[in-house]
Amino acid sequence: MLLGNSNGEQLESGVGGLNVSDGSGGEGGVQLKKGPWTAAEDAILTEYVRKHGEGNWNAVQRNTGLARCGKSCRLRWANHLRPNLKKGTFSPEEERLIVELHAQLGNKWARMAAQLPGRTDNEIKNYWNTRVKRRHRQGLPLYPPEIQPQHQHQHQHQNHQQSSHSHHSYHSQPSTPTTPTSSFSFPIAATTPTTPTGGHHQHHSLHHHFPPPCYSRSPTPSSLPPTPPPLSPGLRSPHQPAFPTLTLFDTNTNTNANNNSNAANSSVMSSNNISNTFNMPRTPPLLQNPPRFKRFHSDTSINTFAANQNDINNNNNINSSSSFQGSNNFSMPFLPFFRSPSSPSLLTSPTSNCNTSAFPSATTKLLSHPSFSFVPEWYNDSGEASNCQSSVVTDDNLGLELQQLASILHVDSTTAPGSCSYDNLPGIC
DNA sequence: AAGCGGACCAACCGCTGGTGT
DNA sequence: TACACCAGCGGTTGGTCCGCT
């Protein structure tokens, strides 16, 4: 049950006025708020992360009084507040990569997001679901002909919790567990004869059936990072086997992208020179393992990644402008109060025209390292600073919230609104 | 202009697995 | 070893915007 407060915000209401969804609360009877985040809440959370780093999300509520559960805080940070987030529509290259990755990984959104710098799993998931619906409506196969899902039967634990109704329409034909075709196959694309396997399978075939991630079949010990899926030549690590069915980006394009990366990065960097930025030092990956993806990465991978970052930095020559220069700082948009004409529902930075031109280059370089994907992308130095920050803060009581912000952040009169320094950010721990 | 439906997006929910005690 | 806590993942829902009729 949801209750509305005077701001139109929602408060969780359960027995006793507290309904902690994940049972890991410790909020001490505080009514937890639900619904859209406000600028003030964003500021509180950002400030908390600035001071304490990521992780220990449940402590946010305890220590700041923010009426949000830890899960909500983590999600807000990961999807909207953390640096280097890329907003806006997916570029054709990104779309292509998503399709390829989905063919490889299935609905492993987080793993896909790890290979798409600046993109969140939620974004990718939303994109994919929209794509599924659109392609289905158009009667098109989900995957292009040149992309064949690396499909193994996948009746494993996936979808165990999922209500099936939303996927029924996408599976007009039951897929057989041994058929290496997309479980999303539509009538027009379904070439595999139906092999009735009984009612049970008929039922389950209505769900997604994706291969387990390739790493699950890898001889790599579980304590080591899983092997990234093979990628198209333009994105593939030279250490990885070729993926024979795809050619996403030709080498010329890739080369051009690399050649242009400096300019692209410079552009991105320059766009950060806006008033609504604050500086936040990168957490040195060598010093602390970021809590995210901790299931996957090992110290070795982190260290190797960090070492490789130097190469990336050198290659990209990311010192042309902006606060990247000569410090551990990077800039990120902060609490943008500008409404983007292209996205009126969002409050975006003035430079909301996302520059994705740097993507192929940055991605190629990142992908060239086997462990890059297990480190939060915003740890990278490749110039993927988010200049397209979206915050979806509510407009309501913005003036009040600005006052709260000023109070929270101790913004003095000489500081641009929403601008603060991250110079003192301790290591993410 | 109003209604409708699709697209898009943010956020929530339930669950799993890792980690510490 | 068992348990609790926590972070993270994937599925789902609901709200808003926008184009079409």
Side-chain angles (χ1 to χ4, degrees):
Chain A
M1 176 180 178
L2 300 176
L3 298 177
N5 64 11
S6 59
N7 293 334
E9 298 160 350
Q10 294 172 337
L11 297 174
E12 287 188 354
S13 173
V15 176
L18 175 64
N19 182 11
V20 181
S21 62
D22 62 355
S24 57
E27 283 78 10
V30 177
Q31 270 198 335
L32 295 180
K33 194 177 144 197
K34 297 170 69 174
W37 280 64
T38 65
E41 289 175 316
D42 282 347
I44 293 171
L45 178 57
T46 304
E47 180 71 6
Y48 183 86
V49 175
R50 183 181 75 83
K51 287 180 178 174
H52 301 94
E54 291 187 55
N56 205 8
W57 297 109
N58 286 324
V60 177
Q61 192 276 330
R62 289 194 295 267
N63 296 336
T64 68
L66 186 63
R68 296 280 183 171
C69 70
K71 290 173 79 171
S72 185
C73 293
R74 186 189 66 82
L75 206 64
R76 183 65 181 173
W77 174 259
N79 288 343
H80 299 281
L81 299 178
R82 68 184 165 99
N84 287 13
L85 278 179
K86 191 188 294 179
K87 289 292 183 178
T89 57
F90 287 96
S91 68
E93 290 78 14
E94 288 176 305
E95 293 178 356
R96 188 76 175 169
L97 182 56
I98 289 172
V99 173
E100 182 184 356
L101 288 171
H102 192 276
Q104 287 288 308
L105 301 171
N107 293 3
K108 299 300 180 183
W109 313 118
R111 299 188 62 75
M112 294 165 74
Q115 311 223 15
L116 285 160
R119 299 298 187 178
T120 68
D121 54 351
N122 214 27
E123 273 184 297
I124 296 170
K125 182 169 56 181
N126 286 334
Y127 166 78
W128 185 260
N129 289 336
T130 299
R131 173 190 169 87
V132 167
K133 281 194 284 188
R134 184 172 59 244
R135 306 272 299 185
H136 179 231
R137 193 174 54 253
Q138 294 172 345
L140 298 172
L142 195 55
Y143 298 100
E146 69 272 21
I147 296 180
Q148 288 299 315
Q150 306 300 298
H151 184 238
Q152 301 286 333
H153 47 87
Q154 170 242 334
H155 284 286
Q156 311 145 286
H157 42 280
Q158 215 174 57
N159 299 320
H160 56 279
Q161 65 181 26
Q162 174 183 347
S163 63
S164 60
H165 68 276
S166 66
H167 297 292
H168 284 191
S169 60
Y170 306 139
H171 299 278
S172 304
Q173 284 191 322
S175 59
T176 62
T178 56
T179 304
T181 57
S182 167
S183 60
F184 272 111
S185 58
F186 303 133
I188 192 173
T191 57
T192 305
T194 300
T195 305
T197 55
H200 180 71
H201 274 294
Q202 290 275 348
H203 171 73
H204 282 281
S205 66
L206 295 174
H207 296 273
H208 304 278
H209 298 296
F210 294 110
C214 56
Y215 64 84
S216 67
R217 300 187 298 275
S218 164
T220 304
S222 60
S223 60
L224 295 176
T227 304
L231 296 165
S232 56
L235 298 172
R236 192 177 57 241
S237 163
H239 306 294
Q240 294 174 334
F243 186 42
T245 61
L246 291 176
T247 302
L248 294 190
F249 311 119
D250 61 39
T251 53
N252 290 334
T253 301
N254 191 40
T255 302
N256 291 338
N258 282 331
N259 290 341
N260 291 334
S261 62
N262 287 349
N265 284 325
S266 177
S267 173
V268 172
M269 296 304 101
S270 299
S271 67
N272 285 326
N273 292 331
I274 58 177
S275 62
N276 284 344
T277 64
F278 72 112
N279 299 321
M280 179 177 173
R282 272 185 54 255
T283 301
L286 280 170
L287 301 179
Q288 282 97 8
N289 289 347
R292 298 180 67 227
F293 308 119
K294 67 182 179 183
R295 295 182 195 175
F296 305 120
H297 73 248
S298 64
D299 290 341
T300 301
S301 68
I302 293 295
N303 292 340
T304 311
F305 168 79
N308 197 51
Q309 272 196 321
N310 293 330
D311 295 336
I312 294 174
N313 293 344
N314 291 336
N315 290 340
N316 281 350
N317 191 24
I318 304 175
N319 58 359
S320 57
S321 65
S322 88
S323 58
F324 280 80
Q325 184 171 6
S327 75
N328 287 332
N329 294 349
F330 64 86
S331 296
M332 63 175 280
F334 180 59
L335 298 175
F337 299 119
F338 297 87
R339 182 174 291 277
S340 166
S342 61
S343 182
S345 66
L346 303 177
L347 290 170
T348 62
S349 76
T351 54
S352 61
N353 181 21
C354 297
N355 186 336
T356 58
S357 60
F359 168 73
S361 170
T363 303
T364 301
K365 292 179 179 180
L366 287 171
L367 289 176
S368 69
H369 195 281
S371 63
F372 86 94
S373 64
F374 312 108
V375 176
E377 55 82 20
W378 62 275
Y379 280 81
N380 78 58
D381 257 345
S382 61
E384 290 288 338
S386 170
N387 61 335
C388 313
Q389 176 88 16
S390 168
S391 163
V392 190
V393 293
T394 56
D395 286 345
D396 299 337
N397 304 310
L398 191 56
L400 173 61
E401 289 175 353
L402 285 171
Q403 293 177 5
Q404 294 171 336
L405 282 176
S407 170
I408 292 164
L409 300 176
H410 308 290
V411 176
D412 63 35
S413 58
T414 62
T415 306
S419 176
C420 63
S421 172
Y422 254 6
D423 287 345
N424 296 323
L425 177 68
I428 307 294
C429 52

